[in-house]
Amino acid sequence: MKRAVSMSFFKPIVVNNSNVSISHLQYADDTIFIGEDCVENLWCMKAILRWFELMSGLKVNFAKSRLFGVNVDGSLLIEAAKFLNCKIGDMPFIYLGLPVGANPRKEATWKPVIE
């Protein structure tokens, strides 16, 4: 990923017009790609996932994979999900036991965490 970003194959999200950018997060066997909504990023993600499969001998489970779009045109999201052969995810969702995309000011958001 670092090389894909440095070679401008993948366009990450830049935080508040700073020098800080985020292209991916990894935890255990999960990877989250974070980037601009562009076709180049889709091709790059697909290539990286394929390279992972070829190098590791493992398979990416696209039936479990989800594509999320924040401020992304719905038609682009649908086409991107088809291209990546995965489903579109709904917000909010739970990741590592924490709500992502939910209103942090609502008590109901934190109920599963507390329980």
Side-chain angles (χ1 to χ4, degrees), residues 51-99:
W51 292 335
F52 169 78
E53 289 180 333
L54 291 171
M55 291 187 303
S56 69
L58 301 171
K59 295 292 284 176
V60 174
N61 188 342
F62 287 99
K64 285 183 162 181
S65 300
R66 298 290 180 267
L67 183 65
F68 295 88
V70 177
N71 296 326
V72 176
D73 180 72
S75 61
L76 175 62
L77 200 57
I78 291 168
E79 291 303 314
K82 286 179 189 174
F83 179 75
L84 294 172
N85 195 28
C86 66
K87 296 177 182 172
I88 297 173
D90 294 318
M91 297 277 237
F93 64 96
I94 301 295
Y95 182 69
L96 300 177
L98 298 172

Side-chain angles (χ1 to χ4, degrees), residues 9-115:
F9 292 133
F10 190 87
K11 296 167 185 66
I13 294 296
V14 177
V15 179
N16 293 334
N17 297 322
S18 66
N19 289 333
V20 177
S21 64
I22 302 172
S23 60
H24 66 290
L25 298 172
Q26 290 187 296
Y27 182 80
D29 60 351
D30 289 331
T31 300
I32 300 174
F33 292 96
I34 304 168
E36 295 179 11
D37 57 339
C38 61
V39 173
E40 293 83 6
N41 277 0
L42 294 173
W43 277 102
C44 187
M45 284 189 293
K46 193 167 193 167
I48 287 173
L49 292 170
R50 183 64 182 135
W51 292 335
F52 169 78
E53 289 180 333
L54 291 171
M55 291 187 303
S56 69
L58 301 171
K59 295 292 284 176
V60 174
N61 188 342
F62 287 99
K64 285 183 162 181
S65 300
R66 298 290 180 267
L67 183 65
F68 295 88
V70 177
N71 296 326
V72 176
D73 180 72
S75 61
L76 175 62
L77 200 57
I78 291 168
E79 291 303 314
K82 286 179 189 174
F83 179 75
L84 294 172
N85 195 28
C86 66
K87 296 177 182 172
I88 297 173
D90 294 318
M91 297 277 237
F93 64 96
I94 301 295
Y95 182 69
L96 300 177
L98 298 172
V100 177
N103 185 341
R105 292 184 275 279
K106 290 187 174 182
E107 183 179 337
T109 298
W110 299 106
K111 189 171 182 159
V113 176
I114 293 167
E115 289 175 357

